[in-house]
Amino acid sequence: MVINKGNYQMKVNLYHYLQGKSSFYERFFQQIKIRREYQSMNADKIKRMLDACYLAKRIRELLPELPEGVTPAYIQYMDVIHIIKRRQEDVKVSDISGYLNLPRPGVTRTVKEMEAKGYLSKYASTEDGRITYIRITEKGELLSEKYDQNYYSRLSEYMGDISEKEADCMIHTIEKFYKVMSERRVNIE
């Protein structure tokens, strides 16, 4: 288990300052006690963070019902395409994959489904025919407008109790937590 060494060391230094001339063994056992207390607090906090992630998943389930055959990923991908198009003219599957931090094969599969249903279309690069770009079709734009732009603009009216700073902190924390969980698998044996 990883602990914040700065906070732990601060507690240990404070303990030594208050204890004065305690024996080596007393200091050693107190350090162990502080470390266990600190680790226990982190375990409880991690559990609460995972509970909050579960609530976040439940919030997504409260989004408006989508038409049959449309998944929330379709709306998310079209939103990402709009975001990327503000920065660059053409969008590739790898751009979506990179933006969402998802494996490319899964993104390719979803893009193919969306293309088959008429929400996206693909076109080849004029400079290099091997490169394929993606664009949102008129049908896709109508779906995106209804379930993304209109819904979120109406929802924002009810979000007055959440400051922009709190929202940014939540986004940053969840992204950081995801990165830690995905990169550092902990073996429980």
Side-chain angles (χ1 to χ4, degrees):
M1 167 150 311
V2 176
I3 62 171
N4 183 331
K5 292 183 179 175
N7 289 342
Y8 169 73
Q9 191 61 47
M10 188 171 67
K11 283 183 177 182
V12 170
N13 291 343
L14 178 63
Y15 171 77
H16 289 305
Y17 175 76
L18 294 174
Q19 290 298 314
K21 297 182 178 180
S22 60
S23 74
F24 168 79
Y25 292 108
E26 288 173 348
R27 288 193 311 260
F28 176 75
F29 288 115
Q30 184 63 25
Q31 286 178 2
I32 291 173
K33 182 180 173 188
I34 291 170
R35 182 175 289 197
R36 284 185 183 149
E37 175 185 307
Y38 194 79
Q39 288 174 341
S40 171
M41 182 184 74
N42 275 343
D44 291 340
K45 190 66 76 173
I46 290 169
K47 290 174 190 174
R48 289 186 60 210
M49 289 172 67
L50 287 168
D51 290 343
C53 290
Y54 175 73
L55 280 177
K57 182 180 181 224
R58 299 223 20 226
I59 289 169
R60 287 197 58 94
E61 293 167 359
L62 296 172
L63 293 172
E65 191 172 328
L66 296 167
E68 190 173 325
V70 175
T71 69
Y74 292 11
I75 306 302
Q76 184 180 28
Y77 280 32
M78 287 188 281
D79 183 42
V80 168
I81 291 169
H82 283 124
I83 291 168
I84 293 171
K85 283 196 72 71
R86 286 185 218 132
R87 292 184 287 168
Q88 63 194 46
E89 190 173 326
D90 299 307
V91 179
K92 300 179 289 197
V93 168
S94 60
D95 296 328
I96 299 169
S97 173
Y99 187 90
L100 293 172
N101 197 24
L102 293 173
R104 198 175 303 167
V107 174
T108 301
R109 185 174 42 254
T110 302
V111 165
K112 283 182 181 178
E113 290 173 15
M114 292 174 73
E115 183 183 24
K117 294 177 181 178
Y119 299 116
L120 298 178
S121 65
K122 293 180 183 175
Y123 61 98
S125 165
T126 54
E127 292 92 35
D128 185 346
R130 297 172 296 172
I131 299 174
T132 304
Y133 295 115
I134 302 162
R135 75 174 123 231
I136 302 174
T137 63
E138 189 175 330
K139 181 179 178 181
E141 288 292 357
L142 290 171
L143 182 73
S144 176
E145 186 176 321
K146 180 177 181 179
Y147 289 94
D148 186 18
Q149 297 155 7
N150 292 344
Y151 176 74
Y152 291 115
S153 63
R154 284 186 286 169
L155 186 60
S156 67
E157 297 170 14
Y158 301 101
M159 296 293 173
D161 289 345
I162 300 172
S163 72
E164 198 168 317
K165 186 176 178 181
E166 289 172 320
D168 289 340
C169 179
M170 180 190 78
I171 293 163
H172 177 72
T173 303
I174 290 172
E175 288 172 346
K176 209 170 174 181
F177 190 37
Y178 175 79
K179 185 177 182 193
V180 168
M181 294 296 289
S182 63
E183 291 177 356
R184 293 168 181 83
R185 304 274 181 194
V186 177
N187 188 355
I188 60 172
E189 292 181 27

